[in-house]
Amino acid sequence: MAVVVGFIPTPVGFAALEAAQREAERRGGPLIIVNVVRDGMQGDPRHADQGQLERAQDMVRRASVRIAVRQEHTDDDISDVLLQVVEEEKAELLVLGIRRERDMASHLLGVTVQKLLTSSPSDVLVV
């Protein structure tokens, strides 16, 4: 079954990617790596450039499952884009990374993470 990872080019994002790869291999894949770019927000550190997407792909190149990398653009809610990919791919699992410099409670109350946790049709793994 498919595993989708919401990827951002940070140490936390790469940790989520590693966990997603393990889960995709355990479940028989594929692994879909998704970076969402919010239009009109140039310079956002969550937006991966081509080199960062290639680094992510190189990191999982030896995976025993099919890998797909998608960069989705939106002027709307990032969580809506991830939910749409989960549904399109009929994913069994959505993997998200959370920033370590904040405590868990503040992230669970964040709009994007809260929406994904409560609205995803798949299981959600928070790394």
Side-chain angles (χ1 to χ4, degrees):
M1 296 291 287
V3 173
V4 171
V5 57
F7 174 73
I8 57 174
T10 65
V12 170
F14 284 101
L17 181 58
E18 286 179 15
Q21 177 185 348
R22 286 190 301 271
E23 285 297 322
E25 289 176 329
R26 187 174 75 78
R27 297 164 190 261
L31 172 60
I32 297 90
I33 303 166
V34 182
N35 177 250
V36 181
V37 173
R38 187 174 283 157
D39 294 331
M41 294 187 68
Q42 287 71 17
D44 187 327
R46 296 171 292 187
H47 299 174
D49 63 28
Q50 190 59 39
Q52 292 164 324
L53 291 174
E54 288 171 6
R55 180 176 166 217
Q57 194 165 12
D58 285 347
M59 200 173 132
V60 296
R61 187 170 309 264
R62 290 192 172 90
S64 61
V65 296
R66 181 178 63 82
I67 307 295
V69 178
R70 296 171 59 167
Q71 190 167 51
E72 301 288 334
H73 290 261
T74 186
D75 57 1
D76 201 13
D77 190 352
I78 291 171
S79 58
D80 287 340
V81 175
L82 288 171
L83 290 170
Q84 181 179 345
V85 173
V86 166
E87 288 181 20
E88 286 172 6
E89 298 291 342
K90 297 177 177 50
E92 181 178 61
L93 182 67
L94 171 62
V95 180
L96 304 169
I98 60 168
R99 288 172 266 169
R100 304 267 190 256
E101 66 270 10
R102 297 184 183 171
D103 66 40
M104 181 73 158
S106 67
H107 277 284
L108 292 177
L109 299 176
V111 173
T112 300
V113 173
Q114 182 178 353
K115 184 172 183 178
L116 290 168
L117 286 171
T118 59
S119 301
S120 180
S122 68
D123 291 339
V124 178
L125 172 63
V126 178
V127 178

Short mmCIF file of all heavy atoms in Angstrom, two decimals, residues 92-122:
data_model
loop_
_atom_site.label_atom_id
_atom_site.label_comp_id
_atom_site.label_asym_id
_atom_site.label_seq_id
_atom_site.Cartn_x
_atom_site.Cartn_y
_atom_site.Cartn_z
N GLU A 92 -2.19 4.26 2.38
CA GLU A 92 -2.48 3.62 3.66
C GLU A 92 -1.93 4.43 4.82
O GLU A 92 -2.40 4.33 5.94
CB GLU A 92 -1.86 2.22 3.64
CG GLU A 92 -2.11 1.41 4.88
CD GLU A 92 -1.50 0.03 4.78
OE1 GLU A 92 -0.27 -0.09 4.64
OE2 GLU A 92 -2.28 -0.94 4.86
N LEU A 93 -0.90 5.27 4.52
CA LEU A 93 -0.22 6.00 5.58
C LEU A 93 0.25 7.36 5.06
O LEU A 93 0.75 7.45 3.95
CB LEU A 93 0.99 5.21 6.08
CG LEU A 93 1.79 5.82 7.23
CD1 LEU A 93 0.97 5.84 8.51
CD2 LEU A 93 3.09 5.04 7.44
N LEU A 94 0.09 8.38 5.90
CA LEU A 94 0.64 9.70 5.67
C LEU A 94 1.68 9.96 6.75
O LEU A 94 1.39 9.79 7.94
CB LEU A 94 -0.46 10.77 5.75
CG LEU A 94 -0.01 12.23 5.73
CD1 LEU A 94 0.69 12.57 4.43
CD2 LEU A 94 -1.22 13.14 5.97
N VAL A 95 2.90 10.32 6.35
CA VAL A 95 3.98 10.57 7.29
C VAL A 95 4.29 12.06 7.31
O VAL A 95 4.44 12.68 6.25
CB VAL A 95 5.25 9.77 6.93
CG1 VAL A 95 6.37 10.04 7.93
CG2 VAL A 95 4.94 8.28 6.86
N LEU A 96 4.37 12.62 8.53
CA LEU A 96 4.66 14.04 8.72
C LEU A 96 5.79 14.19 9.72
O LEU A 96 5.87 13.44 10.69
CB LEU A 96 3.43 14.76 9.30
CG LEU A 96 2.13 14.64 8.53
CD1 LEU A 96 0.98 15.18 9.37
CD2 LEU A 96 2.25 15.39 7.20
N GLY A 97 6.63 15.19 9.51
CA GLY A 97 7.68 15.53 10.48
C GLY A 97 7.24 16.74 11.27
O GLY A 97 6.57 17.62 10.74
N ILE A 98 7.61 16.78 12.54
CA ILE A 98 7.32 17.97 13.34
C ILE A 98 8.63 18.56 13.81
O ILE A 98 9.61 17.85 14.04
CB ILE A 98 6.41 17.68 14.55
CG1 ILE A 98 7.04 16.67 15.49
CG2 ILE A 98 5.04 17.22 14.08
CD1 ILE A 98 6.34 16.56 16.81
N ARG A 99 8.67 19.86 13.93
CA ARG A 99 9.87 20.54 14.39
C ARG A 99 10.15 20.20 15.84
O ARG A 99 9.26 20.23 16.67
CB ARG A 99 9.73 22.05 14.19
CG ARG A 99 9.81 22.41 12.72
CD ARG A 99 9.48 23.83 12.53
NE ARG A 99 8.04 23.85 12.23
CZ ARG A 99 7.29 24.92 12.18
NH1 ARG A 99 7.79 26.08 12.45
NH2 ARG A 99 6.02 24.83 11.87
N ARG A 100 11.38 19.92 16.13
CA ARG A 100 11.77 19.50 17.48
C ARG A 100 11.93 20.67 18.45
O ARG A 100 11.90 20.47 19.64
CB ARG A 100 13.09 18.73 17.42
CG ARG A 100 13.05 17.55 16.49
CD ARG A 100 12.67 16.31 17.22
NE ARG A 100 12.86 15.15 16.37
CZ ARG A 100 11.87 14.49 15.78
NH1 ARG A 100 10.63 14.89 15.92
NH2 ARG A 100 12.12 13.44 15.06
N GLU A 101 12.13 21.88 17.93
CA GLU A 101 12.38 22.99 18.85
C GLU A 101 11.13 23.44 19.60
O GLU A 101 11.20 24.24 20.49
CB GLU A 101 13.03 24.18 18.13
CG GLU A 101 12.14 24.85 17.10
CD GLU A 101 12.27 24.26 15.71
OE1 GLU A 101 12.91 23.22 15.54
OE2 GLU A 101 11.72 24.87 14.78
N ARG A 102 10.01 22.93 19.23
CA ARG A 102 8.77 23.25 19.94
C ARG A 102 8.25 21.97 20.58
O ARG A 102 8.54 20.88 20.14
CB ARG A 102 7.71 23.78 18.97
CG ARG A 102 8.13 25.07 18.32
CD ARG A 102 7.01 25.57 17.47
NE ARG A 102 7.41 26.77 16.78
CZ ARG A 102 6.70 27.34 15.84
NH1 ARG A 102 5.56 26.82 15.47
NH2 ARG A 102 7.12 28.43 15.26
N ASP A 103 7.44 22.12 21.58
CA ASP A 103 6.91 20.90 22.20
C ASP A 103 5.76 20.34 21.37
O ASP A 103 5.17 21.01 20.54
CB ASP A 103 6.51 21.13 23.66
CG ASP A 103 5.35 22.09 23.83
OD1 ASP A 103 4.39 22.03 23.04
OD2 ASP A 103 5.40 22.90 24.77
N MET A 104 5.46 19.10 21.61
CA MET A 104 4.45 18.38 20.83
C MET A 104 3.09 19.04 20.89
O MET A 104 2.39 19.12 19.89
CB MET A 104 4.38 16.94 21.35
CG MET A 104 3.41 16.06 20.64
SD MET A 104 4.04 15.65 19.03
CE MET A 104 3.10 14.19 18.71
N ALA A 105 2.71 19.55 22.02
CA ALA A 105 1.37 20.11 22.18
C ALA A 105 1.13 21.28 21.24
O ALA A 105 0.06 21.39 20.64
CB ALA A 105 1.14 20.55 23.62
N SER A 106 2.12 22.14 21.07
CA SER A 106 1.90 23.30 20.19
C SER A 106 1.72 22.87 18.75
O SER A 106 0.99 23.51 18.00
CB SER A 106 3.06 24.29 20.32
OG SER A 106 4.24 23.73 19.81
N HIS A 107 2.36 21.78 18.34
CA HIS A 107 2.18 21.30 16.97
C HIS A 107 0.83 20.65 16.77
O HIS A 107 0.21 20.77 15.73
CB HIS A 107 3.30 20.34 16.58
CG HIS A 107 4.50 21.07 16.13
ND1 HIS A 107 4.60 21.66 14.90
CD2 HIS A 107 5.65 21.35 16.78
CE1 HIS A 107 5.76 22.26 14.80
NE2 HIS A 107 6.41 22.09 15.94
N LEU A 108 0.40 19.91 17.74
CA LEU A 108 -0.90 19.26 17.60
C LEU A 108 -2.02 20.27 17.52
O LEU A 108 -3.06 20.00 16.96
CB LEU A 108 -1.14 18.29 18.76
CG LEU A 108 -0.23 17.06 18.75
CD1 LEU A 108 -0.51 16.21 19.98
CD2 LEU A 108 -0.40 16.25 17.49
N LEU A 109 -1.79 21.45 18.04
CA LEU A 109 -2.79 22.50 17.98
C LEU A 109 -2.65 23.34 16.72
O LEU A 109 -3.51 24.16 16.44
CB LEU A 109 -2.70 23.39 19.22
CG LEU A 109 -2.96 22.66 20.53
CD1 LEU A 109 -2.74 23.60 21.70
CD2 LEU A 109 -4.36 22.07 20.57
N GLY A 110 -1.56 23.16 15.96
CA GLY A 110 -1.38 23.90 14.72
C GLY A 110 -2.44 23.50 13.70
O GLY A 110 -2.87 22.35 13.64
N VAL A 111 -2.86 24.44 12.90
CA VAL A 111 -3.96 24.22 11.96
C VAL A 111 -3.66 23.10 10.97
O VAL A 111 -4.48 22.21 10.77
CB VAL A 111 -4.29 25.53 11.22
CG1 VAL A 111 -5.31 25.31 10.13
CG2 VAL A 111 -4.77 26.59 12.19
N THR A 112 -2.47 23.12 10.35
CA THR A 112 -2.16 22.13 9.33
C THR A 112 -2.10 20.73 9.91
O THR A 112 -2.75 19.81 9.42
CB THR A 112 -0.84 22.48 8.62
OG1 THR A 112 -0.97 23.77 8.01
CG2 THR A 112 -0.49 21.46 7.56
N VAL A 113 -1.33 20.56 10.97
CA VAL A 113 -1.18 19.23 11.57
C VAL A 113 -2.51 18.74 12.13
O VAL A 113 -2.88 17.58 11.95
CB VAL A 113 -0.08 19.24 12.66
CG1 VAL A 113 -0.04 17.91 13.40
CG2 VAL A 113 1.27 19.53 12.04
N GLN A 114 -3.24 19.60 12.80
CA GLN A 114 -4.52 19.20 13.37
C GLN A 114 -5.47 18.73 12.27
O GLN A 114 -6.12 17.70 12.41
CB GLN A 114 -5.15 20.35 14.14
CG GLN A 114 -6.47 19.98 14.78
CD GLN A 114 -7.06 21.13 15.59
OE1 GLN A 114 -6.44 22.16 15.79
NE2 GLN A 114 -8.26 20.94 16.05
N LYS A 115 -5.53 19.48 11.18
CA LYS A 115 -6.42 19.09 10.08
C LYS A 115 -6.01 17.75 9.49
O LYS A 115 -6.86 16.90 9.21
CB LYS A 115 -6.43 20.17 9.01
CG LYS A 115 -7.41 19.88 7.90
CD LYS A 115 -7.54 21.06 6.97
CE LYS A 115 -8.57 20.78 5.89
NZ LYS A 115 -8.73 21.96 5.02
N LEU A 116 -4.71 17.54 9.31
CA LEU A 116 -4.25 16.27 8.75
C LEU A 116 -4.53 15.11 9.70
O LEU A 116 -4.94 14.03 9.26
CB LEU A 116 -2.76 16.36 8.41
CG LEU A 116 -2.45 17.27 7.23
CD1 LEU A 116 -0.96 17.54 7.14
CD2 LEU A 116 -2.98 16.70 5.92
N LEU A 117 -4.32 15.32 10.99
CA LEU A 117 -4.59 14.26 11.95
C LEU A 117 -6.07 13.88 12.03
O LEU A 117 -6.42 12.72 12.19
CB LEU A 117 -4.10 14.66 13.34
CG LEU A 117 -2.59 14.64 13.56
CD1 LEU A 117 -2.24 15.28 14.90
CD2 LEU A 117 -2.04 13.23 13.48
N THR A 118 -6.93 14.87 11.90
CA THR A 118 -8.35 14.60 12.05
C THR A 118 -9.07 14.28 10.75
O THR A 118 -10.15 13.71 10.78
CB THR A 118 -9.07 15.78 12.74
OG1 THR A 118 -8.89 16.96 11.95
CG2 THR A 118 -8.53 16.02 14.14
N SER A 119 -8.47 14.65 9.61
CA SER A 119 -9.18 14.50 8.34
C SER A 119 -8.61 13.45 7.40
O SER A 119 -9.26 13.11 6.40
CB SER A 119 -9.20 15.85 7.59
OG SER A 119 -9.82 16.83 8.37
N SER A 120 -7.43 12.95 7.66
CA SER A 120 -6.82 12.02 6.74
C SER A 120 -7.61 10.71 6.69
O SER A 120 -7.93 10.14 7.74
CB SER A 120 -5.37 11.72 7.14
OG SER A 120 -4.80 10.81 6.22
N PRO A 121 -7.88 10.22 5.48
CA PRO A 121 -8.55 8.92 5.37
C PRO A 121 -7.61 7.76 5.67
O PRO A 121 -8.05 6.62 5.77
CB PRO A 121 -9.01 8.90 3.91
CG PRO A 121 -8.04 9.78 3.20
CD PRO A 121 -7.65 10.85 4.18
N SER A 122 -6.32 8.06 5.83
CA SER A 122 -5.33 7.03 6.13
C SER A 122 -4.83 7.23 7.56
O SER A 122 -5.10 8.22 8.21
CB SER A 122 -4.15 7.14 5.15
OG SER A 122 -3.42 8.33 5.42
#
